[in-house]
């Protein structure tokens, strides 16, 4: 499914006291570490994600995979687009970096997803309805900010 066809879920933003190049390195390193944990790979297998292992170029670049995700676009210092699918959902995470001043950046994380069918709807309630997705995104952005600053 094309990313533009996926319904918009939400967007989370954080201001970071670091330049875009430093934030980019922190972004790709944090994602690689966070999503390459054994528990994440186990979950990706459980839901039958299309991509279940970390592979491809490092640092993350187009064609790299993480459990649950494939990098479909990577413009260092500007944008990283991850896409994935499993039996309950098709989804994307789009990270955008903006220079906002000397040594200051803004990182935005946009989430998009489709949850087809009854089971997809139940999965959406479990992940989105409980607030789990929001908590996870906030933690991820905080980790990137801490690593950058």
């Amino acid at each position: 499914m094309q990313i533009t066809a996926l319904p918009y879920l939400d967007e989370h933003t954080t201001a970071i006291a670091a330049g875009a190049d430093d934030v980019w390195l922190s972004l790709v390193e944090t994602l690689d570490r966070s999503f390459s944990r054994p528990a994440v790979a186990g979950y990706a297998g459980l839901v039958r994600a299309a991509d279940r292992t970390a592979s491809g170029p490092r640092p993350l670049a187009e064609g790299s995979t993480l459990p649950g995700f494939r990098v479909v676009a990577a413009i260092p210092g500007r944008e990283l687009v991850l896409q994935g699918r499993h039996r309950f959902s098709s989804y994307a995470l789009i990270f955008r970096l903006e220079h906002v001043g000397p040594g200051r950046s803004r990182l935005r994380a946009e989430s998009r997803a489709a949850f087809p069918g009854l089971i997809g709807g139940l999965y959406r309630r479990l992940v989105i309805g409980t607030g789990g997705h929001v908590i996870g995104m906030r933690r991820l952005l905080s980790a990137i900010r801490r690593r950058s600053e």
Side-chain angles (χ1 to χ4, degrees):
M1 181 176 272
Q2 294 286 50
I3 290 174
T4 55
L6 292 171
Y8 173 88
L9 288 179
D10 61 15
E11 182 173 285
H12 301 270
T13 304
T14 188
I16 302 175
D21 291 337
D22 292 331
V23 176
W24 176 264
L25 290 175
S26 296
L27 169 65
V28 296
E29 288 172 2
T30 301
L31 287 172
D32 208 9
R33 275 190 156 163
S34 297
F35 286 93
S36 294
R37 294 182 178 151
V40 177
Y43 181 76
L46 182 68
V47 296
R48 297 187 192 144
D51 296 294
R52 299 179 191 178
T53 61
S55 67
R58 293 300 188 266
L60 295 176
E62 192 171 327
S64 298
T65 65
L66 298 164
F69 293 95
R70 174 171 301 275
V71 178
V72 295
I75 304 168
R78 295 196 52 215
E79 183 177 74
L80 181 69
V81 181
L82 307 176
Q83 188 171 13
R85 64 180 169 76
H86 55 65
R87 63 184 177 179
F88 308 121
S89 179
S90 294
Y91 47 89
L93 282 175
I94 304 156
F95 295 93
R96 293 184 179 97
L97 272 163
E98 301 169 23
H99 172 79
V100 293
R104 305 269 323 150
S105 301
R106 180 178 303 117
L107 178 60
R108 296 184 298 135
E110 178 185 331
S111 301
R112 293 179 162 269
F115 302 89
L118 177 63
I119 301 296
L122 292 172
Y123 183 79
R124 179 188 174 105
R125 284 190 194 150
L126 177 67
V127 175
I128 307 299
T130 62
H133 168 74
V134 170
I135 291 167
M137 291 307 299
R138 286 180 181 165
R139 284 183 181 168
L140 183 61
L141 290 179
S142 291
I144 295 163
R145 185 180 62 244
R146 282 191 309 275
R147 184 176 220 144
S148 299
E149 296 177 338

